Amino acid sequence: MLQARQIPGGVRLGLAAISLSVALVGGGAASAQDRNAGELVVLSLGGSYQDAQSKEWFKPFAEKSGVKVSEASGYNFAKLKVMIESGNVEADVVDISADTMTALADAGLLEKIDWSKIPAECQAGIPADMKKDYAFPIIQWAMVMAYNTSKVPQDKAPKTWADFWNVTAFPGKRASIGATRPPVEQATLAINGDLAKLYPFDLNAAFDKIKSLGSAIIFADGYAQVAQYLADGEADMAIIPNGRVGPLVAAGRPVAINWNQHLTFPNFFAIPKGAPHKDNAMKFLGYVCQPEVLAKIAAPTNYGPINVDAYKFIPADVARLLPGNPETVALGRPIDTVFLSKARPDIAKGWARMAVR
């Protein structure tokens, strides 16, 4: 069941089994035009990320447009797919990952984005490979190498994934998440560091490389634990999302990011097939696409806008911790969602085999 989000001053509505949500209406008396502006239901991912979206994107759009914006969270891919296939579509805009977008688009379950309604100044900073037929790019997070500067001085820190795997030249403990996202790509880059030729790769070779670290690597159940290992010095270096490092830096913990060979994971806004308020969904995209608007959630979320023009509005001390930063973007690449979607079952099997050896 999707979870309604209570917004101060909002009105909680009754929910069906896969229903939504909470009104986010701008203050003041609405004009007749505003009252006829209609509705928009946005389904996102919850937590502090959606809190920032609500404050910086959803509420301002509601106030400027007169559209009554409602929001919800708590979906998974299976429920989202069933909702669309059933024809009982109650969300107009959904925040989705690249692999979910690819799967839904391939199944014909998303509306095409009308790029003619996206202002030219919004499109200018969007990388060509992120301009999709069925989704609008918003933010990205990155899987990076981070290290504890009290254990690994910056002038002696590993520079590549080959260095990360070199326990002789760079002794100490490593940390990574385990079963839910084994570091198969990082292991592959330790074998061959050419980012452009990363995909497709040999999963057996990748798992053999992971196994070769032996007791030099600690596997955690979640990224919060990886971050704790890194911050406490229990791990000298880690494979970790950039968003987990930003709060540590802000708290004064002795950690730093190596952006070389990082991988980016983009998120998109998509319009489900049969969305009841498709026109308002496009109006919302035409608002949130503005670089200055996109930039507003960078600091509170540690996620980087995909539109590179947004970095003109992000302070330098924030930008340096974000993927997509023009100073470091060339050091990484996006994941191959098609390859990973198909390889997901084999990755799970490979991890299970490695875990019982």
Side-chain angles (χ1 to χ4, degrees):
M1 179 177 177
L2 301 181
Q3 301 298 312
R5 291 166 49 84
Q6 185 63 50
I7 306 300
V11 178
R12 183 178 292 273
L13 305 179
L15 304 183
I18 193 163
S19 188
L20 311 161
S21 185
V22 177
L24 299 176
V25 185
S31 66
Q33 181 179 355
D34 289 340
R35 287 194 297 271
N36 294 326
E39 301 178 15
L40 178 74
V41 177
V42 182
L43 177 58
S44 191
L45 303 173
S48 60
Y49 171 58
Q50 190 163 339
D51 289 341
Q53 289 181 312
S54 182
K55 178 183 177 182
E56 304 294 354
W57 293 353
F58 306 154
K59 286 182 178 179
F61 171 72
E63 292 167 357
K64 290 177 182 294
S65 67
V67 173
K68 186 176 75 172
V69 179
S70 304
E71 62 175 296
S73 63
Y75 76 91
N76 60 40
F77 173 78
K79 288 184 178 180
L80 185 60
K81 188 171 183 286
V82 167
M83 180 186 74
I84 303 171
E85 289 176 333
S86 72
N88 185 29
V89 180
E90 299 183 69
D92 303 301
V93 175
V94 184
D95 187 329
I96 56 177
S97 65
D99 53 344
T100 296
M101 179 271 294
T102 300
L104 292 177
D106 288 348
L109 298 178
L110 298 177
E111 298 281 357
K112 261 199 164 185
I113 299 298
D114 185 350
W115 283 94
S116 69
K117 294 184 178 178
I118 304 297
E121 58 268 26
C122 289
Q123 298 192 41
I126 298 175
D129 62 342
M130 289 289 105
K131 192 175 177 182
K132 307 294 185 180
D133 288 338
Y134 292 93
F136 181 84
I138 46 174
I139 59 92
Q140 58 190 335
W141 61 275
M143 193 69 79
V144 299
M145 182 194 308
Y147 54 95
N148 185 304
T149 56
S150 70
K151 305 287 290 294
V152 184
Q154 287 187 289
D155 61 342
K156 296 181 180 179
K159 300 294 191 295
T160 67
W161 291 114
D163 290 345
F164 187 94
W165 254 263
N166 188 337
V167 297
T168 301
F170 301 93
K173 289 287 188 181
R174 283 85 167 135
S176 172
I177 201 168
T180 55
R181 192 179 288 278
V184 288
E185 287 128 325
Q186 290 74 26
T188 300
L189 288 169
I191 299 169
N192 180 352
D194 189 341
L195 274 173
K197 296 180 180 179
L198 173 59
Y199 300 101
F201 58 83
D202 184 334
L203 283 173
N204 290 328
F207 278 110
D208 285 345
K209 192 68 173 176
I210 295 170
K211 187 186 176 188
S212 73
L213 284 173
S215 61
I217 188 166
I218 310 166
F219 289 109
D221 294 328
Y223 288 121
Q225 191 176 11
V226 176
Q228 197 64 52
Y229 286 152
L230 185 65
D232 292 346
E234 194 168 339
D236 299 66
M237 58 195 82
I239 303 168
I240 190 170
N242 75 288
R244 295 288 183 172
V245 181
L248 299 180
V249 173
R253 305 304 288 271
V255 297
I257 291 177
N258 169 20
W259 285 100
N260 192 36
Q261 298 178 321
H262 72 270
L263 298 177
T264 55
F265 294 72
N267 267 51
F268 299 82
F269 278 140
I271 304 172
K273 194 76 171 179
H277 309 111
K278 179 183 173 182
D279 288 346
N280 280 342
M282 283 305 310
K283 288 179 184 177
F284 171 69
L285 295 184
Y287 167 78
V288 78
C289 73
Q290 300 169 68
E292 188 170 5
V293 174
L294 288 169
K296 290 181 178 179
I297 70 164
T301 65
N302 294 300
Y303 294 138
I306 291 174
N307 189 322
V308 297
D309 288 344
Y311 284 85
K312 300 172 185 176
F313 305 98
I314 299 174
D317 62 327
V318 174
R320 68 185 179 87
L321 296 174
L322 303 177
N325 177 4
E327 293 184 6
T328 57
V329 67
L331 299 176
R333 64 158 290 167
I335 59 165
D336 185 326
T337 57
V338 175
F339 173 81
L340 289 177
S341 294
K342 293 178 179 178
R344 187 178 296 167
D346 291 328
I347 292 173
K349 291 175 185 176
W351 174 260
R353 285 194 299 268
M354 193 186 80
V356 298
R357 287 178 183 174

